[in-house]
């Protein structure tokens, strides 16, 4: 019965496509008639018509859609006629069976094969991107994580990147970075600025947190982006170029829109339903221009990379076989605290095994690259709270450098492997695909729609968090409205208070601090384990306490500001903390 209904849906879908194609054909027919009319006119009056090479596609934008109809490709045709979006997610959800067959070593995918000569004319470029995913609260509070792990990661980053200028590292959570920055000396600060300038260290996204994309309100998401970007502007003078969202539970086109408006031009996402990842892998549409559903042009387009496999950890990022990739997570070397669940441990790289080990991981890189449209491959190297100890930096960076050096010394392997930042990858991708060149027809499809609801395996749909811990979700909205009110009243009061000597007692500096703290507490709560309700109980209480304190602080800002604004006779202004002029 189930299969019959799937068949019925597919037939309905094809009927819709046929109807749309009929429309396209009739449009083309009309255009041809118009064209022949103008050609006749042109013979009588040669100035009337002047064709350039590109004019046929301008006259028939929908023709490309018509000829894209391949069995699976009917998808891309479906919406191209109307508003240029090649892949429309609503159609994808319609045609996918959402089955879950065993795909072999890549459980949720399929076997990937390649021909060894594929890279003879154009070598494979591999970018290994070291990262450490730092949740601002989850199993520990923000402050506890910072004390136990995050500060050590950042301290070691400064030391270890300076040891070898081929090493790279990316960071995204500014809430942690700002707390660390406030506690380091100027020598360290200068070193960080140098590492950024030299392209060894990159800030990605640059928000206060890596925000949730389902339960958060867009205003608060913008606010935490501003908080992070302003901090970076003031302290480092940098503007983030690429978005990095490896852990939010499903992805929204609103995030793509906001990132684009914030000056970010490329982005990466990870937690997408495994059936969609598999489908996009077969179509090679894991890299696409994400466009808003309502955009009739292309002004909202942002280049997006979707990671193909189950997780952002090392076993699931070098290629399709986690048993092999795990052997290249050198934090799991025998004797350490974590090991490989597939029971084959990593081996330290030395002259005796480097050929075999390099070939093994190159095979994974090649297979991964087969899911994409270019010869540039991205391999993130990291996990939650990684690179805490100095020894882990050595284990990863030294062993990988040996692998790269060996691979790159074998011209017949046709590969160039190196550490890179996220922007290094996207720049190579742009070059390879000739993006931004005038004549180029983009290699990448345009996509519109969203990636909810997420399932990482089986029927594990991540939808409980849309409504869980509703008290805190509500508190978030209350604080947000208080912030907006306080900001407006404070701004007006500030202008008034500067007008007379008597008003200089207005506590502008202190209130500004309270406003900043409130914005940062609201920003912290946009984190994908905070507003979602997915943290431990005591961590939730910590978030709640911050939200509550900020609401109380903002009441003071509102009272102080309203006092200035309601006085008819400004000269009678008298600021007294013990007896506030107004009460809320």
């Amino acid at each position: 019965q189930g299969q019959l209904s799937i068949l019925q849906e597919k037939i309905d879908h094809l009927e819709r496509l046929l109807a749309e194609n009929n429309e396209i054909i009739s449009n083309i027919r009309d255009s041809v008639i118009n064209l022949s009319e103008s050609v006749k006119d042109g013979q009588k009056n040669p100035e009337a018509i002047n064709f350039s090479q590109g004019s046929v596609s301008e006259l028939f934008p929908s023709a490309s859609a018509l000829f894209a109809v391949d069995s699976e490709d009917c998808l891309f045709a479906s919406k191209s006629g109307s508003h240029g979006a090649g892949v429309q997610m609503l159609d994808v959800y319609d045609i996918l069976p959402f089955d879950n067959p065993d795909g072999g070593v890549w459980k949720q995918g399929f076997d990937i094969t390649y021909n060894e000569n594929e890279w003879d004319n154009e070598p494979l470029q591999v970018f290994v991107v070291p990262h450490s995913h730092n949740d601002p609260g989850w199993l520990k509070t923000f402050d506890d994580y910072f004390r136990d792990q995050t500060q050590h990661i950042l301290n070691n980053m400064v030391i270890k990147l300076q040891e070898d200028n081929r090493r790279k590292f990316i960071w995204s959570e500014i809430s942690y970075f700002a707390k660390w920055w406030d506690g380091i000396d100027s020598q360290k600060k200068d070193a960080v600025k140098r590492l950024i300038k030299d392209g060894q260290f990159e800030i990605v996204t640059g928000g206060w947190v890596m925000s949730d994309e389902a339960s958060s309100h867009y205003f608060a998401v913008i606010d935490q982006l501003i908080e992070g970007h302003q901090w970076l502007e003031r302290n480092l003078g940098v503007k983030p170029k690429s978005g990095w969202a490896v852990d939010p539970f499903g992805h929204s086109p609103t995030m793509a829109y906001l990132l684009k408006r914030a000056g970010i031009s490329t982005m990466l996402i990870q937690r997408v339903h495994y059936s969609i990842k598999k489908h996009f892998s077969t179509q090679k549409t894991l890299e696409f221009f994400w466009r808003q559903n309502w955009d009739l042009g292309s002004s909202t387009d942002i280049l997006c990379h979707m990671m193909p496999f189950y997780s952002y950890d090392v076993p699931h990022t070098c290629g399709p076989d986690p048993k092999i990739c795990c052997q290249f997570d050198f934090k799991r070397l025998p004797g350490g605290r974590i090991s490989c669940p597939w029971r084959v441990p990593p081996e330290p790289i030395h002259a005796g095994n480097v050929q075999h080990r390099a070939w093994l991981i190159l095979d994974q890189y090649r297979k991964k690259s087969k899911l994409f449209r270019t010869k540039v491959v991205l391999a993130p190297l990291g996990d939650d709270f990684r690179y805490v100890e100095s020894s882990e930096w050595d284990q990863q960076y030294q062993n990988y450098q040996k692998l790269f050096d060996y691979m790159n010394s074998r011209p017949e392997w046709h590969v160039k492997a190196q550490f890179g930042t996220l922007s290094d990858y996207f720049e190579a991708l742009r070059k390879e695909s000739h993006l931004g060149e005038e004549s180029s027809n983009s290699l990448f499809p345009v996509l519109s729609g969203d990636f909810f609801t997420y399932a990482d395996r089986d029927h594990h749909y991540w939808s409980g968090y849309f409504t869980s811990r509703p008290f805190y979700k509500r508190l978030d909205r209350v604080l947000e409205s208080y912030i907006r009110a306080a900001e407006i009243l404070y701004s007006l009061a500030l202008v008034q208070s500067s007008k007379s000597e008597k008003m200089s007692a207005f506590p502008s500096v202190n209130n500004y601090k309270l406003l900043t703290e409130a914005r940062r507490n609201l920003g912290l709560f946009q984190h994908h384990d905070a507003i979602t309700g997915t943290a431990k109980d005591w961590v939730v209480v910590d978030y709640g306490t911050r939200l509550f304190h900020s609401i109380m602080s903002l009441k003071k800002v509102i009272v102080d500001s309203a006092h200035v604004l309601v006085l008819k006779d400004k000269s009678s202004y008298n600021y007294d903390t013990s007896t506030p002029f107004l009460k809320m």
Side-chain angles (χ1 to χ4, degrees):
Q1 199 63 44
Q3 284 180 326
L4 278 173
S5 68
I6 288 170
L7 198 57
Q8 184 62 51
E9 278 172 24
K10 287 195 167 177
I11 290 168
D12 292 347
H13 184 73
L14 283 170
E15 281 180 341
R16 279 209 303 281
L17 288 182
L18 279 172
E20 285 178 11
N21 280 340
N22 284 337
E23 205 179 322
I24 291 170
I25 289 167
S26 68
N27 287 342
I28 291 176
R29 194 178 56 233
D30 294 346
S31 306
V32 170
I33 291 166
N34 293 342
L35 193 58
S36 61
E37 293 298 321
S38 45
V39 168
K40 282 178 198 158
D41 290 349
Q43 282 159 352
K44 295 172 199 163
N45 174 13
E47 282 78 51
I49 189 159
N50 179 17
F51 277 166
S52 67
Q53 211 34 92
S55 58
V56 176
S57 59
E58 283 155 30
L59 277 161
F60 311 139
S62 35
S64 57
L66 180 66
F67 303 127
V69 181
D70 198 30
S71 61
E72 284 272 7
D73 271 15
C74 59
L75 236 163
F76 306 138
S78 65
K79 286 285 192 287
S80 300
S82 52
H83 58 79
V87 184
Q88 172 49 257
M89 286 309 296
L90 288 172
D91 293 343
V92 177
Y93 292 126
D94 270 350
I95 72 153
L96 287 187
F98 289 99
D99 54 355
N100 188 16
D102 187 333
V105 292
W106 174 17
K107 279 273 166 278
Q108 298 166 322
F110 46 87
D111 279 329
I112 305 172
T113 55
Y114 63 83
N115 168 351
E116 291 209 7
N117 302 106
E118 285 186 46
W119 294 275
D120 287 3
N121 300 325
E122 199 184 345
L124 186 67
Q125 290 184 71
V126 182
F127 289 91
V128 172
V129 178
H131 69 99
S132 179
H133 179 65
N134 283 239
D135 290 303
W138 179 37
L139 307 176
K140 295 182 186 178
T141 63
F142 173 81
D143 288 330
D144 286 352
Y145 269 139
F146 180 80
R147 183 195 65 218
D148 300 344
Q149 282 135 299
T150 307
Q151 63 170 331
H152 306 300
I153 298 169
L154 290 166
N155 285 333
N156 280 318
M157 178 270 293
V158 181
I159 297 163
K160 291 297 175 182
L161 290 188
Q162 291 184 95
E163 287 178 6
D164 184 339
N165 62 12
R166 295 169 297 182
R167 295 179 177 181
K168 309 274 181 138
F169 195 67
I170 63 170
W171 188 268
S172 76
E173 300 80 10
I174 303 305
S175 50
Y176 277 130
F177 196 84
K179 185 175 171 68
W180 173 69
W181 187 262
D182 288 343
I184 61 173
D185 59 36
S186 58
Q187 203 181 346
K188 242 183 194 166
K189 288 178 180 175
D190 291 341
V192 172
K193 289 175 183 169
R194 224 174 18 251
L195 289 167
I196 290 175
K197 189 169 125 315
D198 296 344
Q200 280 185 261
F201 178 56
E202 183 185 19
I203 300 284
V204 286
T205 310
W208 201 243
V209 297
M210 186 185 289
S211 70
D212 173 53
E213 303 185 18
S215 305
S216 49
H217 188 257
Y218 80 93
F219 194 97
V221 172
I222 293 171
D223 220 43
Q224 66 84 33
L225 259 183
I226 292 173
E227 199 58 40
H229 284 196
Q230 288 277 285
W231 189 93
L232 289 167
E233 180 74 34
R234 270 197 311 274
N235 294 281
L236 299 172
V238 301
K239 286 182 164 62
K241 293 196 291 228
S242 298
W244 171 264
V246 290
D247 206 26
F249 322 137
H251 292 281
S252 164
T254 298
M255 201 67 207
Y257 176 74
L258 298 179
L259 291 177
K260 174 80 190 245
R261 293 295 299 262
I264 286 170
S265 53
T266 48
M267 64 182 291
L268 171 147
I269 59 177
Q270 150 60 22
R271 289 197 186 267
V272 172
H273 194 296
Y274 59 89
S275 289
I276 294 169
K277 287 184 177 237
K278 178 180 175 178
H279 176 71
F280 278 23
S281 297
T282 62
Q283 301 296 305
K284 295 194 180 184
T285 55
L286 291 161
E287 290 179 320
F288 51 85
F289 282 101
W290 201 348
R291 178 178 299 174
Q292 297 304 303
N293 255 324
W294 39 261
D295 182 6
L296 299 176
S298 59
S299 66
T300 59
D301 289 12
I302 179 168
L303 182 60
C304 181
H305 170 104
M306 180 191 294
M307 291 168 59
F309 307 124
Y310 169 76
S311 164
Y312 55 83
D313 64 8
V314 185
H316 297 93
T317 46
C318 90
D321 189 343
K323 181 176 177 178
I324 288 175
C325 291
C326 195
Q327 298 170 47
F328 294 89
D329 182 357
F330 295 100
K331 185 183 165 75
R332 301 180 196 243
L333 282 164
R337 265 174 296 181
I338 53 167
S339 58
C340 286
W342 296 270
R343 293 229 199 44
V344 186
E347 300 171 16
I349 304 301
H350 52 78
N353 69 1
V354 66
Q355 178 176 357
H356 175 241
R357 305 307 284 177
W359 181 253
L360 204 56
I361 196 166
L362 176 58
D363 176 61
Q364 289 299 304
Y365 293 152
R366 285 176 169 182
K367 284 174 173 162
K368 185 174 188 176
S369 84
K370 291 293 288 176
L371 307 178
F372 295 89
R373 298 187 181 194
T374 73
K375 301 276 200 306
V376 188
V377 72
L378 171 69
L381 181 71
D383 202 340
D384 292 0
F385 294 97
R386 281 302 189 86
Y387 301 97
V388 174
E389 282 113 13
S390 175
S391 58
E392 185 187 348
W393 288 83
D394 295 339
Q395 288 168 334
Q396 303 287 30
Y397 284 89
Q398 289 171 7
N399 283 298
Y400 267 95
Q401 195 59 57
K402 288 174 190 169
L403 291 166
F404 298 159
D405 290 345
Y406 186 81
M407 279 183 213
N408 299 342
S409 73
R410 299 287 299 262
E412 73 281 14
W413 283 12
H414 303 288
V415 60
K416 182 176 190 311
Q418 66 243 304
F419 292 118
T421 61
L422 190 56
S423 289
D424 288 339
Y425 170 75
F426 278 120
E427 272 159 36
L429 188 70
R430 281 181 184 282
K431 216 179 196 153
E432 174 94 2
S433 57
H434 307 294
L435 275 179
E437 291 174 23
E438 276 311 299
S439 61
S440 73
N441 246 350
S442 173
L443 191 59
F444 307 112
V446 172
L447 174 144
S448 291
D450 70 35
F451 299 102
F452 290 114
T453 299
Y454 171 59
D456 57 340
R457 57 197 174 100
D458 307 324
H459 289 110
H460 298 189
Y461 282 90
W462 296 40
S463 53
Y465 82 94
F466 297 159
T467 53
S468 59
R469 288 180 161 144
F471 172 81
Y472 293 91
K473 284 176 164 61
R474 169 67 184 148
L475 200 56
D476 162 84
R477 299 301 201 262
V478 173
L479 175 55
E480 190 184 331
S481 69
Y482 269 93
I483 285 180
R484 189 68 185 128
E487 283 177 340
I488 292 169
L489 292 175
Y490 173 82
S491 303
L492 295 170
L494 200 58
V495 174
Q496 285 294 329
S497 68
S498 64
K499 287 181 181 171
S500 81
E501 193 57 43
K502 193 89 170 95
M503 297 288 229
S504 62
F506 174 66
S508 57
V509 174
N510 188 42
N511 280 354
Y512 187 81
K513 281 182 184 151
L514 295 178
L515 271 172
T516 302
E517 190 191 355
R519 275 199 295 264
R520 290 179 174 184
N521 281 333
L522 181 70
L524 186 69
F525 196 66
Q526 304 316 304
H527 164 51
H528 56 264
D529 289 306
I531 191 168
T532 54
T534 52
K536 291 284 186 191
D537 287 358
W538 64 91
V539 180
V540 173
V541 170
D542 180 64
Y543 288 132
T545 307
R546 289 167 182 268
L547 298 177
F548 176 69
H549 279 315
S550 288
I551 288 173
M552 301 311 284
S553 297
L554 292 175
K555 286 188 175 185
K556 180 187 177 313
V557 176
I558 289 169
V559 163
D560 288 350
S561 304
H563 180 187
V564 167
L565 297 169
V566 296
L567 277 184
K568 188 166 189 187
D569 174 15
K570 305 292 184 199
S571 65
S572 67
Y573 179 71
N574 175 39
Y575 178 71
D576 178 2
T577 43
S578 56
T579 54
F581 185 73
L582 299 164
K583 280 196 177 71
M584 280 182 78

